[in-house]
Amino acid sequence: MVLGWSSSAGPDGIYLQSNYGVPISPQEFSWMGSLTTLGAGAMCIPIGILADLIGRKNSMLLMVVPFTVGWLCVICANSVLLFYIGRFITGVASGAFCVAAPMYTTEISESSIRGSLGSYFQLLLTVGILLSYIFGSFVDMFVLSIISAMAPLVFFVIFMFMPETPLYYLMKGNEDAAKKSLTKLRGARYNVDSELQKQREIMEENKRNKVSFSTMIKSKVTIKGFVIGYGLMIFQQFCGVNVVIFYTTEIFEKAGSDIKPHICVIIIGVMQTVSVFVSTLVVDRLGRRILLLASAIFLFLSTFALGVYFYLQDIKSDVESFTWLPLVCLSVFTIMFSMGFGPLPWMMMGEIFAPEVKSVAASSAGLLNWLMAFIVTKFFADLKLSLGMGGVFWLFSGLSAIAIFFVYILVPETKGKSLDEILRDLSN
């Protein structure tokens, strides 16, 4: 809901200005969108350390505090500065979840369904964006901010009753707590001792073979993991997804679609949610690599077609008979992003690194992701002025084309494989 909020504010925050009575320039509104990504980036490395200190569960529960404080700043804002502060703080909490939630999911899931459960992070993220789009179409920005502030409180009440991950307890040497946690996750009839014994053996083997962090970070397997992980995060952002999420209403208003912009936005949100749900059903059957390849190909085609449409519009060509094209292109873009490059980079961060470097790898990759998101969202307005809307989408199209070759050459298949098998694949 933090991400979807900007789109409901209208082009250059026009609805936000009318609701709050605060003058907002286009540049100030672009900061409101991009400060969220800066806040998220600032928290990525600290949350990795915090998750190892107090646990994955407690780290996420603790983030309800900055979520609530940030939304209160937005609700009570009487100046642009308060909007900035609120958006930055909610970004801090959002960035923490992007690291802690996939880590939690990976550690509680069985390998046979790890891909499906890992995709649920992206699924619920799209549900939040869709809710923000829907509420933003029927209520003003002040009420939308109040509704958004309630979501973290609902999460807190529900998640209090969830268990900490068994792996975290084993790392802390608390085997009784690990057994209780796994029993709650798997059920009373499940043989938890067998799974815990496997986890112990893996941890003991890691201890026997343990090398220093500095040595591990220089190993071929880890370096290749960083190249893959960082590459996926960069292409995830440089395909233009946050421009689509943050500025959907503005894109449709400029496109001159026959359908009202807020209806188009809701259609996009629904398609995004449905396609991520479909992804959760097929990711453990089709595999990660094929979904990433298909995603990159369609991201390239849809942004290329959008570039052509806006270029023709800019040179005053007749595009009235093609006003349906932006909705189709953004629908295809959203569906294929949500099937591949949306959920899979986050999920694979938990799969391609050894335990010794996983926290640092996930945190630093999250930081990189949010920094790239900041660059794309902050400078979208400047790029639009210098290249035109068509040129911006052609830029995204070119970067998506590079992503196709990146995935084909470097990204391994991790479907149904144990961590040991994945690391062996990375080391050839």
Side-chain angles (χ1 to χ4, degrees):
M1 296 192 78
V2 171
L3 294 177
W5 183 87
S6 294
S7 184
S8 300
D12 296 330
I14 187 170
Y15 305 143
L16 193 63
Q17 294 182 61
S18 61
N19 292 159
Y20 279 83
V22 177
I24 301 169
S25 70
Q27 278 295 329
E28 288 171 338
F29 183 65
S30 73
W31 275 109
M32 286 182 198
S34 54
L35 274 173
T36 298
T37 60
L38 270 189
M43 192 59 186
C44 282
I45 291 177
I47 191 62
I49 300 169
L50 190 66
D52 283 343
L53 284 176
I54 67 172
R56 287 65 164 136
K57 174 187 174 180
N58 289 333
S59 297
M60 287 189 277
L61 288 175
L62 186 62
M63 287 305 108
V64 172
V65 175
F67 262 131
T68 305
V69 171
W71 279 120
L72 284 175
C73 288
V74 171
I75 292 167
C76 302
N78 56 7
S79 66
V80 170
L81 179 61
L82 261 183
F83 280 122
Y84 285 171
I85 294 170
R87 291 290 287 167
F88 182 83
I89 295 174
T90 53
V92 165
S94 301
F97 266 82
C98 288
V99 175
M103 190 186 299
Y104 180 89
T105 306
T106 300
E107 292 181 4
I108 67 169
S109 59
E110 298 169 83
S111 60
S112 60
I113 57 168
R114 189 177 62 223
S116 295
L117 292 184
S119 299
Y120 268 71
F121 170 73
Q122 182 74 15
L123 174 63
L124 273 296
L125 188 143
T126 60
V127 168
I129 293 170
L130 174 59
L131 285 173
S132 189
Y133 287 171
I134 292 172
F135 286 127
S137 299
F138 298 102
V139 301
D140 63 35
M141 291 300 296
F142 179 75
V143 176
L144 175 63
S145 300
I146 294 173
I147 294 169
S148 301
M150 293 168 64
L153 303 178
V154 173
F155 164 79
F156 184 84
V157 172
I158 295 172
F159 200 66
M160 280 175 60
F161 303 100
M162 300 299 112
E164 181 56 87
T165 71
L167 183 61
Y168 172 75
Y169 283 130
L170 286 177
M171 286 167 57
K172 294 297 181 181
N174 191 343
E175 297 206 4
D176 288 339
K179 188 172 182 177
K180 288 179 183 177
S181 174
L182 195 58
T183 301
K184 189 169 184 179
L185 289 164
R186 303 285 188 262
R189 297 182 182 181
Y190 182 82
N191 182 10
V192 296
D193 292 325
S194 174
E195 185 170 341
L196 285 175
Q197 182 58 32
K198 287 180 182 177
Q199 290 283 3
R200 285 191 208 98
E201 289 171 359
I202 292 171
M203 290 181 70
E204 286 170 8
E205 185 180 350
N206 287 338
K207 285 179 182 177
R208 286 195 300 271
N209 301 327
K210 190 171 182 180
V211 293
S212 67
F213 176 79
S214 60
T215 303
M216 175 60 81
I217 207 81
K218 295 173 187 173
S219 71
K220 178 182 177 181
V221 175
T222 305
I223 291 171
K224 192 169 182 180
F226 274 114
V227 170
I228 293 167
Y230 284 4
L232 289 175
M233 292 299 184
I234 289 170
F235 287 119
Q236 185 195 66
Q237 291 302 328
F238 279 2
C239 71
V241 63
N242 273 314
V243 166
V244 172
I245 293 172
F246 282 46
Y247 302 108
T248 313
T249 305
E250 180 178 341
I251 291 170
F252 280 120
E253 289 202 354
K254 180 170 175 56
S257 174
D258 294 332
I259 308 172
K260 291 182 179 179
H262 75 270
I263 300 296
C264 291
V265 166
I266 293 174
I267 292 171
I268 293 295
V270 170
M271 289 186 172
Q272 187 177 36
T273 304
V274 171
S275 53
V276 176
F277 179 69
V278 172
S279 173
T280 67
L281 302 178
V282 302
V283 68
D284 282 318
R285 298 178 184 177
L286 296 178
R288 285 65 156 154
R289 195 165 179 270
I290 188 69
L291 285 174
L292 283 170
L293 278 172
S295 178
I297 290 169
F298 279 96
L299 293 179
F300 161 70
L301 293 174
S302 57
T303 48
F304 182 81
L306 271 173
V308 171
Y309 177 88
F310 283 115
Y311 172 75
L312 291 175
Q313 188 185 61
D314 288 341
I315 63 171
K316 311 300 183 186
S317 292
D318 182 19
V319 291
E320 285 189 8
S321 55
F322 296 100
T323 51
W324 49 268
L325 186 62
L327 178 59
V328 171
C329 288
L330 285 183
S331 297
V332 171
F333 178 96
T334 302
I335 290 169
M336 295 312 298
F337 177 83
S338 302
M339 291 281 286
F341 263 92
L344 297 184
W346 294 110
M347 187 181 72
M348 290 188 72
M349 289 306 300
E351 296 183 325
I352 60 176
F353 289 102
E356 293 87 349
V357 295
K358 185 181 290 185
S359 293
V360 172
S363 301
S364 60
L367 171 60
L368 177 67
N369 184 287
W370 287 110
L371 287 177
M372 296 301 104
F374 168 74
I375 291 170
V376 172
T377 53
K378 179 66 187 77
F379 296 106
F380 169 66
D382 298 322
L383 285 171
K384 189 173 62 174
L385 287 173
S386 58
L387 301 177
M389 191 76 94
V392 172
F393 279 107
W394 276 338
L395 177 61
F396 293 148
S397 179
L399 292 165
S400 297
I402 298 171
I404 298 170
F405 294 100
F406 176 85
V407 173
Y408 183 78
I409 295 169
L410 288 176
V411 178
E413 182 54 73
T414 59
K415 178 185 72 171
K417 293 181 180 179
S418 67
L419 176 61
D420 186 55
E421 290 172 325
I422 293 168
L423 295 180
R424 288 179 187 276
D425 286 347
L426 288 175
S427 63
N428 296 322

Short mmCIF file of all heavy atoms in Angstrom, two decimals, residues 19-62:
data_model
loop_
_atom_site.label_atom_id
_atom_site.label_comp_id
_atom_site.label_asym_id
_atom_site.label_seq_id
_atom_site.Cartn_x
_atom_site.Cartn_y
_atom_site.Cartn_z
N ASN A 19 -6.82 17.66 -1.73
CA ASN A 19 -7.29 17.08 -0.47
C ASN A 19 -6.65 17.74 0.75
O ASN A 19 -7.32 17.99 1.76
CB ASN A 19 -7.01 15.58 -0.41
CG ASN A 19 -7.82 14.78 -1.40
OD1 ASN A 19 -7.47 13.68 -1.77
ND2 ASN A 19 -8.94 15.35 -1.87
N TYR A 20 -5.35 18.01 0.66
CA TYR A 20 -4.61 18.52 1.83
C TYR A 20 -4.44 20.04 1.82
O TYR A 20 -4.08 20.62 2.83
CB TYR A 20 -3.23 17.86 1.90
CG TYR A 20 -3.22 16.48 2.51
CD1 TYR A 20 -3.53 15.36 1.76
CD2 TYR A 20 -2.89 16.29 3.86
CE1 TYR A 20 -3.51 14.09 2.31
CE2 TYR A 20 -2.87 15.02 4.42
CZ TYR A 20 -3.19 13.92 3.64
OH TYR A 20 -3.17 12.67 4.19
N GLY A 21 -4.65 20.66 0.65
CA GLY A 21 -4.46 22.11 0.56
C GLY A 21 -3.01 22.53 0.67
O GLY A 21 -2.72 23.66 1.07
N VAL A 22 -2.09 21.61 0.31
CA VAL A 22 -0.65 21.90 0.37
C VAL A 22 -0.13 22.02 -1.06
O VAL A 22 -0.25 21.08 -1.85
CB VAL A 22 0.12 20.78 1.11
CG1 VAL A 22 1.61 21.06 1.10
CG2 VAL A 22 -0.39 20.64 2.53
N PRO A 23 0.43 23.18 -1.45
CA PRO A 23 0.98 23.32 -2.81
C PRO A 23 2.15 22.34 -3.02
O PRO A 23 3.05 22.26 -2.18
CB PRO A 23 1.47 24.78 -2.85
CG PRO A 23 0.80 25.46 -1.70
CD PRO A 23 0.59 24.42 -0.66
N ILE A 24 2.10 21.60 -4.12
CA ILE A 24 3.14 20.60 -4.41
C ILE A 24 3.57 20.76 -5.87
O ILE A 24 2.73 20.65 -6.79
CB ILE A 24 2.62 19.16 -4.18
CG1 ILE A 24 2.15 19.00 -2.73
CG2 ILE A 24 3.70 18.14 -4.50
CD1 ILE A 24 1.38 17.71 -2.48
N SER A 25 4.85 20.98 -6.10
CA SER A 25 5.37 21.09 -7.46
C SER A 25 5.65 19.69 -8.01
O SER A 25 5.76 18.73 -7.24
CB SER A 25 6.66 21.91 -7.47
OG SER A 25 7.72 21.17 -6.84
N PRO A 26 5.76 19.55 -9.35
CA PRO A 26 6.09 18.24 -9.93
C PRO A 26 7.37 17.64 -9.36
O PRO A 26 7.45 16.44 -9.11
CB PRO A 26 6.22 18.54 -11.42
CG PRO A 26 5.34 19.73 -11.64
CD PRO A 26 5.46 20.54 -10.40
N GLN A 27 8.39 18.49 -9.14
CA GLN A 27 9.65 17.99 -8.57
C GLN A 27 9.46 17.49 -7.14
O GLN A 27 10.00 16.45 -6.75
CB GLN A 27 10.71 19.10 -8.59
CG GLN A 27 11.42 19.28 -9.92
CD GLN A 27 12.26 18.06 -10.29
OE1 GLN A 27 12.80 17.36 -9.45
NE2 GLN A 27 12.35 17.80 -11.58
N GLU A 28 8.67 18.21 -6.35
CA GLU A 28 8.40 17.79 -4.97
C GLU A 28 7.64 16.47 -4.94
O GLU A 28 7.90 15.60 -4.10
CB GLU A 28 7.62 18.88 -4.22
CG GLU A 28 8.47 20.11 -3.90
CD GLU A 28 7.64 21.26 -3.37
OE1 GLU A 28 6.42 21.30 -3.64
OE2 GLU A 28 8.22 22.15 -2.70
N PHE A 29 6.70 16.32 -5.88
CA PHE A 29 5.94 15.06 -5.92
C PHE A 29 6.84 13.89 -6.32
O PHE A 29 6.67 12.78 -5.81
CB PHE A 29 4.76 15.18 -6.88
CG PHE A 29 3.90 13.95 -6.92
CD1 PHE A 29 3.19 13.56 -5.81
CD2 PHE A 29 3.84 13.16 -8.08
CE1 PHE A 29 2.39 12.41 -5.84
CE2 PHE A 29 3.07 12.02 -8.11
CZ PHE A 29 2.33 11.64 -6.99
N SER A 30 7.79 14.13 -7.22
CA SER A 30 8.70 13.05 -7.61
C SER A 30 9.55 12.62 -6.41
O SER A 30 9.89 11.44 -6.26
CB SER A 30 9.60 13.48 -8.77
OG SER A 30 10.59 14.41 -8.36
N TRP A 31 9.88 13.57 -5.53
CA TRP A 31 10.60 13.22 -4.30
C TRP A 31 9.74 12.38 -3.36
O TRP A 31 10.24 11.48 -2.69
CB TRP A 31 11.08 14.48 -3.58
CG TRP A 31 12.39 15.01 -4.09
CD1 TRP A 31 12.60 16.14 -4.82
CD2 TRP A 31 13.69 14.41 -3.92
NE1 TRP A 31 13.93 16.28 -5.11
CE2 TRP A 31 14.62 15.24 -4.56
CE3 TRP A 31 14.14 13.26 -3.27
CZ2 TRP A 31 15.99 14.96 -4.59
CZ3 TRP A 31 15.49 12.96 -3.29
CH2 TRP A 31 16.40 13.81 -3.95
N MET A 32 8.45 12.67 -3.33
CA MET A 32 7.55 11.87 -2.48
C MET A 32 7.52 10.41 -2.91
O MET A 32 7.43 9.50 -2.07
CB MET A 32 6.12 12.44 -2.53
CG MET A 32 5.95 13.72 -1.76
SD MET A 32 4.24 14.28 -1.82
CE MET A 32 4.45 15.98 -1.34
N GLY A 33 7.59 10.18 -4.22
CA GLY A 33 7.64 8.81 -4.70
C GLY A 33 8.99 8.16 -4.44
O GLY A 33 9.07 7.04 -3.97
N SER A 34 10.06 8.90 -4.70
CA SER A 34 11.39 8.30 -4.66
C SER A 34 11.97 8.21 -3.25
O SER A 34 12.82 7.35 -2.99
CB SER A 34 12.34 9.09 -5.56
OG SER A 34 12.35 10.46 -5.23
N LEU A 35 11.54 9.06 -2.32
CA LEU A 35 12.06 8.98 -0.95
C LEU A 35 11.71 7.66 -0.28
O LEU A 35 12.44 7.17 0.58
CB LEU A 35 11.54 10.15 -0.11
CG LEU A 35 12.35 11.45 -0.20
CD1 LEU A 35 11.63 12.59 0.52
CD2 LEU A 35 13.74 11.26 0.37
N THR A 36 10.58 7.08 -0.68
CA THR A 36 10.21 5.76 -0.16
C THR A 36 11.28 4.74 -0.50
O THR A 36 11.67 3.92 0.34
CB THR A 36 8.86 5.32 -0.75
OG1 THR A 36 7.86 6.25 -0.35
CG2 THR A 36 8.47 3.93 -0.27
N THR A 37 11.78 4.79 -1.72
CA THR A 37 12.79 3.81 -2.14
C THR A 37 14.12 4.07 -1.43
O THR A 37 14.86 3.13 -1.13
CB THR A 37 12.98 3.85 -3.67
OG1 THR A 37 13.40 5.17 -4.07
CG2 THR A 37 11.68 3.52 -4.39
N LEU A 38 14.44 5.35 -1.16
CA LEU A 38 15.66 5.66 -0.41
C LEU A 38 15.57 5.12 1.02
O LEU A 38 16.54 4.57 1.56
CB LEU A 38 15.89 7.17 -0.37
CG LEU A 38 16.72 7.80 -1.50
CD1 LEU A 38 17.01 9.26 -1.15
CD2 LEU A 38 18.02 7.06 -1.73
N GLY A 39 14.40 5.30 1.65
CA GLY A 39 14.20 4.77 3.00
C GLY A 39 14.33 3.27 3.03
O GLY A 39 14.95 2.69 3.93
N ALA A 40 13.76 2.61 2.01
CA ALA A 40 13.85 1.15 1.93
C ALA A 40 15.29 0.70 1.78
O ALA A 40 15.73 -0.26 2.43
CB ALA A 40 13.01 0.66 0.75
N GLY A 41 16.04 1.41 0.96
CA GLY A 41 17.45 1.05 0.77
C GLY A 41 18.27 1.23 2.03
O GLY A 41 19.15 0.42 2.35
N ALA A 42 17.95 2.28 2.80
CA ALA A 42 18.70 2.56 4.03
C ALA A 42 18.55 1.46 5.07
O ALA A 42 19.43 1.26 5.91
CB ALA A 42 18.24 3.89 4.62
N MET A 43 17.44 0.71 5.02
CA MET A 43 17.17 -0.30 6.05
C MET A 43 17.61 -1.70 5.64
O MET A 43 17.64 -2.60 6.49
CB MET A 43 15.65 -0.31 6.35
CG MET A 43 15.26 -1.10 7.58
SD MET A 43 16.08 -0.45 9.06
CE MET A 43 15.59 -1.66 10.27
N CYS A 44 17.98 -1.90 4.40
CA CYS A 44 18.24 -3.27 3.92
C CYS A 44 19.37 -3.97 4.66
O CYS A 44 19.26 -5.14 5.01
CB CYS A 44 18.54 -3.23 2.41
SG CYS A 44 17.05 -3.06 1.42
N ILE A 45 20.49 -3.28 4.90
CA ILE A 45 21.62 -3.92 5.60
C ILE A 45 21.35 -4.04 7.10
O ILE A 45 21.56 -5.10 7.68
CB ILE A 45 22.93 -3.18 5.29
CG1 ILE A 45 23.30 -3.41 3.83
CG2 ILE A 45 24.05 -3.64 6.22
CD1 ILE A 45 24.54 -2.69 3.36
N PRO A 46 20.85 -2.98 7.79
CA PRO A 46 20.55 -3.14 9.22
C PRO A 46 19.55 -4.26 9.52
O PRO A 46 19.69 -4.94 10.54
CB PRO A 46 19.96 -1.77 9.60
CG PRO A 46 20.57 -0.81 8.64
CD PRO A 46 20.70 -1.58 7.36
N ILE A 47 18.56 -4.48 8.65
CA ILE A 47 17.55 -5.52 8.95
C ILE A 47 18.18 -6.91 8.86
O ILE A 47 17.77 -7.82 9.60
CB ILE A 47 16.33 -5.41 8.00
CG1 ILE A 47 15.18 -6.29 8.48
CG2 ILE A 47 16.70 -5.79 6.57
CD1 ILE A 47 14.62 -5.93 9.82
N GLY A 48 19.18 -7.11 8.02
CA GLY A 48 19.86 -8.40 7.96
C GLY A 48 20.56 -8.71 9.27
O GLY A 48 20.52 -9.84 9.77
N ILE A 49 21.19 -7.69 9.85
CA ILE A 49 21.87 -7.85 11.15
C ILE A 49 20.83 -8.07 12.25
O ILE A 49 20.98 -8.94 13.11
CB ILE A 49 22.73 -6.61 11.45
CG1 ILE A 49 23.81 -6.44 10.36
CG2 ILE A 49 23.37 -6.70 12.83
CD1 ILE A 49 24.53 -5.11 10.40
N LEU A 50 19.76 -7.26 12.22
CA LEU A 50 18.71 -7.35 13.23
C LEU A 50 18.03 -8.72 13.21
O LEU A 50 17.73 -9.30 14.27
CB LEU A 50 17.67 -6.25 13.00
CG LEU A 50 16.63 -6.04 14.10
CD1 LEU A 50 17.29 -5.54 15.38
CD2 LEU A 50 15.56 -5.05 13.64
N ALA A 51 17.79 -9.26 12.02
CA ALA A 51 17.14 -10.56 11.89
C ALA A 51 17.97 -11.67 12.51
O ALA A 51 17.43 -12.66 13.03
CB ALA A 51 16.86 -10.87 10.42
N ASP A 52 19.30 -11.56 12.46
CA ASP A 52 20.17 -12.55 13.08
C ASP A 52 20.26 -12.35 14.60
O ASP A 52 20.53 -13.29 15.33
CB ASP A 52 21.58 -12.48 12.48
CG ASP A 52 21.65 -13.15 11.11
OD1 ASP A 52 20.73 -13.93 10.79
OD2 ASP A 52 22.62 -12.90 10.36
N LEU A 53 20.02 -11.12 15.06
CA LEU A 53 20.13 -10.83 16.50
C LEU A 53 18.85 -11.19 17.26
O LEU A 53 18.90 -11.87 18.29
CB LEU A 53 20.44 -9.34 16.71
CG LEU A 53 21.87 -8.89 16.44
CD1 LEU A 53 21.98 -7.38 16.60
CD2 LEU A 53 22.86 -9.59 17.37
N ILE A 54 17.71 -10.73 16.78
CA ILE A 54 16.46 -10.92 17.53
C ILE A 54 15.47 -11.85 16.84
O ILE A 54 14.38 -12.11 17.36
CB ILE A 54 15.77 -9.56 17.82
CG1 ILE A 54 15.27 -8.90 16.53
CG2 ILE A 54 16.70 -8.63 18.57
CD1 ILE A 54 14.43 -7.66 16.76
N GLY A 55 15.82 -12.36 15.67
CA GLY A 55 14.94 -13.29 14.96
C GLY A 55 14.17 -12.63 13.83
O GLY A 55 13.98 -11.41 13.81
N ARG A 56 13.73 -13.47 12.90
CA ARG A 56 13.00 -12.97 11.74
C ARG A 56 11.62 -12.43 12.15
O ARG A 56 11.17 -11.37 11.70
CB ARG A 56 12.81 -14.08 10.70
CG ARG A 56 14.06 -14.47 9.92
CD ARG A 56 15.14 -15.08 10.76
NE ARG A 56 16.14 -15.77 9.96
CZ ARG A 56 17.46 -15.65 10.16
NH1 ARG A 56 17.92 -14.84 11.09
NH2 ARG A 56 18.30 -16.35 9.44
N LYS A 57 10.93 -13.19 13.02
CA LYS A 57 9.59 -12.80 13.45
C LYS A 57 9.61 -11.47 14.21
O LYS A 57 8.85 -10.55 13.88
CB LYS A 57 9.00 -13.90 14.34
CG LYS A 57 7.66 -13.53 14.97
CD LYS A 57 7.21 -14.57 15.96
CE LYS A 57 5.95 -14.11 16.70
NZ LYS A 57 5.49 -15.11 17.67
N ASN A 58 10.46 -11.36 15.21
CA ASN A 58 10.50 -10.14 16.02
C ASN A 58 10.93 -8.92 15.20
O ASN A 58 10.47 -7.80 15.46
CB ASN A 58 11.45 -10.33 17.21
CG ASN A 58 10.88 -11.29 18.24
OD1 ASN A 58 9.66 -11.42 18.36
ND2 ASN A 58 11.74 -11.96 18.98
N SER A 59 11.79 -9.16 14.22
CA SER A 59 12.21 -8.04 13.36
C SER A 59 11.03 -7.46 12.59
O SER A 59 10.88 -6.25 12.48
CB SER A 59 13.30 -8.51 12.38
OG SER A 59 14.45 -8.92 13.07
N MET A 60 10.19 -8.35 12.05
CA MET A 60 9.03 -7.88 11.29
C MET A 60 8.00 -7.22 12.19
O MET A 60 7.38 -6.22 11.82
CB MET A 60 8.43 -9.03 10.49
CG MET A 60 9.28 -9.43 9.29
SD MET A 60 8.48 -10.60 8.18
CE MET A 60 8.82 -12.14 9.02
N LEU A 61 7.79 -7.80 13.39
CA LEU A 61 6.85 -7.18 14.33
C LEU A 61 7.33 -5.78 14.73
O LEU A 61 6.53 -4.85 14.86
CB LEU A 61 6.69 -8.05 15.57
CG LEU A 61 5.90 -9.35 15.39
CD1 LEU A 61 5.94 -10.18 16.67
CD2 LEU A 61 4.46 -9.08 14.98
N LEU A 62 8.63 -5.63 14.91
CA LEU A 62 9.20 -4.34 15.30
C LEU A 62 8.97 -3.28 14.22
O LEU A 62 8.81 -2.09 14.52
CB LEU A 62 10.70 -4.50 15.57
CG LEU A 62 11.44 -3.29 16.14
CD1 LEU A 62 10.87 -2.91 17.51
CD2 LEU A 62 12.93 -3.58 16.25
#
